[in-house]
Amino acid sequence: MGGQNDKYEYETEAHTFYVGANANPIPKLDLSGVLSFTKGTANIHDLDFSGDPFTLAVNGRTDDYSFTYINGSEEYSDLEYVMWELELTGNYSITEQLGLTVNWLYSEYQDQEEYVYGELDGKTWSLSSFVTYRF
Amino acid sequence: MKITTTIVMSVFIVLGLACLAIAEDAKPYDIEISVGGSMNDLDETDGGRVAEYDSTVDKNANWILGGKVSYTLDKVAFDAYGEYLDGDDQAYGANLDLSRILMLETDYLRFFHRLDHDNLNHLLASLARSGQGATLYHTDFNASDNYGITRSEWKSQAKLNVPMVPGLSFTFNHRFEERKGMDQARTMSKCSSCHVVGVSKDISETTNEWNPSVNYRMGPISMNYDFSYRSFNSGSDVPENLYFQAQNPGAAPGTNADFGARLQYDQDDGSLPFSRTADSEKWSHKIKVKADLPADNKVNLSYVYSKATNNDSDDGGSALYGDAGKELSVDYWALNGGWHWKVNKAMAFTLKGKYQDMDGSEVGVDVNDITDVISGTSQTYADFLGEDFDFRRQSAYDEDEYSLDAKFAWKILKDLKLKLGYELEYLDRENAEYHHVVDDTTTQKFSIGSKWRPMMGLRVSADYEFTFVDDPYVFHNTMCPSWDEAQALGFAPGTYSVDSWYSKYVYGVRTMNRSNQPETVNDIRIKTCWMATDKINTNVHMHYKIAENSDAGGSDWEQDMFNGGLNVMYTPTAKLGINFGYNYFYDKYEAMFCSAFYNG
């Protein structure tokens, strides 16, 4: 006994967009930045079972079965997320030997359809700076 | 961690002081040292994807330490680099070249990978009647654990060109990989997949790979022998699970022992190990000969032999997985040949052939005997059937494969190149009947492609490939049990007896073949690069694939895939560059779906 679905679809889509720039506005200073955006979705379509709920009696005990929850898998399997990332970097040559680098990174993940791993929302940033000395 | 940080900082300080001393001399040296820090913040819910490969964002702050050294004098060259962000984010490497006679290279990389945690909450299929226990439920024993693996890899290479024998060289490669951390292990509990459990499992795995080779070139002929040994060792936890007591869900607890006669294991067998990762090793030998022949002909011939072994399959059995009784291995050998002929300045022809043979161990699996008897009798099910449940496993690896690949390239015009290709592959599966799959598969690929420069600054390439597979890999009668066929065989709805075997009335009446492999594939790719002006450069790419299998039984299997994108680079001045791009990916599968209900 069971259910049958002659044709179902599993569809995945992803859009990725980025824009970046690098510039040398004044001598000794290099600037660069990148912004990226990704939107991903995945869905099951047309998942349906042709069978109706039924009853099965075994050893005098009656069990009722339904496809209700299995049909729900169409919804459980939905995926949708949006991801942003922005990185800005600056390099300044203080002297021929000494340079300063500053970097800022921001990243955000928006989980818009909770999947089997729970809600994976998150955002992070980091501000980094270091000096480089060349001998 | 503090000790590691102290050691690393000390190394950089010592390196810095040494550099100051070295810098007094002339400039065969190039030295660079970076010191800094980072402030971080991470806000996430269930582990998150936002910093999948970043270990530092967990900390409020971390050091940034880096350095590079290079030295060149006469015929000696040395360079090294290092970068330390935290204990789980490090990279180091060095190269040494002594007169091109001895060359040494080593690289080390360590990073952290956050892993997902399956909360199991999606396992919701259940009886329709309210108040009844679910037919599928779950327990996550370590729901609050976060999972992740620190991966380290150390690769080294040494090459010796023997000065006394021109053309003779020895190479030695070594790779060491370590994976440490914690991951989730899952298993089924109760009598089938009715109850799924998840537990945390400590991971500690190492892979060691040794690869010496010798190369010799004598005039137009070059020869190579390559040996490789790889061992994989797991010191990971082997989690255990205490399975539920065998119990008819329709009977009061403890009142029905009949299920014990039907189950391979239950609570009476105590905690049983699962999610084991076997130790393994692989040996391989490769011999290759290449020759440059007159009239722009080149030929090559190679032979490969390898043996991969599971070193833990002879460790003895368990109620859960039986006893294979010996180490299992897969033997592989292959013969490859190739011929390349540059016909003239405009034409070239390439022909490649290959034969490979793979044999996996055939093994008898000693299944744990069930000692409980059928209720109301003195017989076990093995007694009742007149046979036990031991079985002989024929390897699905046993196969022979023949392939032929021909390519023809023709420069028709100064700015137009054409290429044609044909590939034929025949695969013979020796144990297909035991695995209910197709015996043999013949794959043919026809391809045509071109590269065209219609005008200065514009390049266009287009490729089309058609694949025809007869018959694709298909599982026979793998799904959709027929209720009508089950009843025709004698199964009466609503009844139960010791003869109500799933093997006969469910598995035995499955009607549909299934596959996710195509019978035909149409694959087209187009790419253009256009330098519109000396300041604007663009490229556009497109890839479309449609694959179908109408030989799978039931409804067809289909795949539609499209990937396309645009990239633009704009450089208005020498001091400003702007680039942007867009990529679109679409993939759709159409398939059939069957689900059988099983009554506890």
Side-chain angles (χ1 to χ4, degrees), chain A residues 3 5-6 8 10-16 18 20 22 24 57 62 119 123-125 127 129 131-133 135, chain B residues 27 31 33-35 37 39 41 43 46 129 494 555 567 575 577 579 582-587 589 591 593 595:
Chain A
N5 183 206
D6 285 343
Y8 78 97
Y10 189 77
E11 198 173 53
T12 308
E13 268 188 297
H15 305 263
T16 305
Y18 73 90
N22 55 71
N24 180 214
T62 303
E119 192 176 284
K123 49 190 168 187
T124 181
W125 61 261
L127 177 63
S129 179
V131 291
T132 299
Y133 192 82
F135 297 89
Chain B
K27 283 286 286 181
I31 297 157
I33 286 187
S34 301
V35 179
M39 291 186 297
D41 184 64
D43 177 11
D46 290 333
R129 188 167 31 164
S555 60
N567 296 287
K575 293 183 177 182
N579 55 81
Y582 169 75
N583 193 79
Y584 175 67
F585 174 82
Y586 175 81
D587 194 20
Y589 285 92
F593 189 84
S595 172

Side-chain angles (χ1 to χ4, degrees), chain B residues 294-298 339-350 409:
Chain B
D296 286 323
N297 282 281
K298 291 180 181 177
W339 169 44
H340 178 77
W341 179 31
K342 191 175 177 186
V343 183
N344 53 42
K345 285 185 178 178
M347 293 182 188
F349 178 72
T350 305

Side-chain angles (χ1 to χ4, degrees), chain B residues 204-254:
Chain B
S204 177
E205 297 172 349
T206 57
T207 302
N208 242 311
E209 199 169 326
W210 310 84
N211 175 214
S213 67
V214 56
N215 307 281
Y216 183 55
R217 182 171 181 91
M218 186 175 59
I221 298 174
S222 60
M223 292 167 279
N224 166 267
Y225 168 70
D226 186 285
F227 170 77
S228 170
Y229 172 72
R230 185 175 69 211
S231 70
F232 170 82
N233 294 90
S234 172
S236 303
D237 277 353
V238 178
E240 294 191 343
N241 186 48
L242 182 63
Y243 290 81
F244 288 171
Q245 190 73 48
Q247 169 69 44
N248 184 336

Side-chain angles (χ1 to χ4, degrees), chain A residues 22-42:
Chain A
N22 55 71
N24 180 214
I26 57 170
K28 299 183 179 182
L29 178 64
D30 292 319
L31 299 174
S32 64
V34 180
L35 171 70
S36 67
F37 167 83
T38 303
K39 179 181 172 68
T41 58

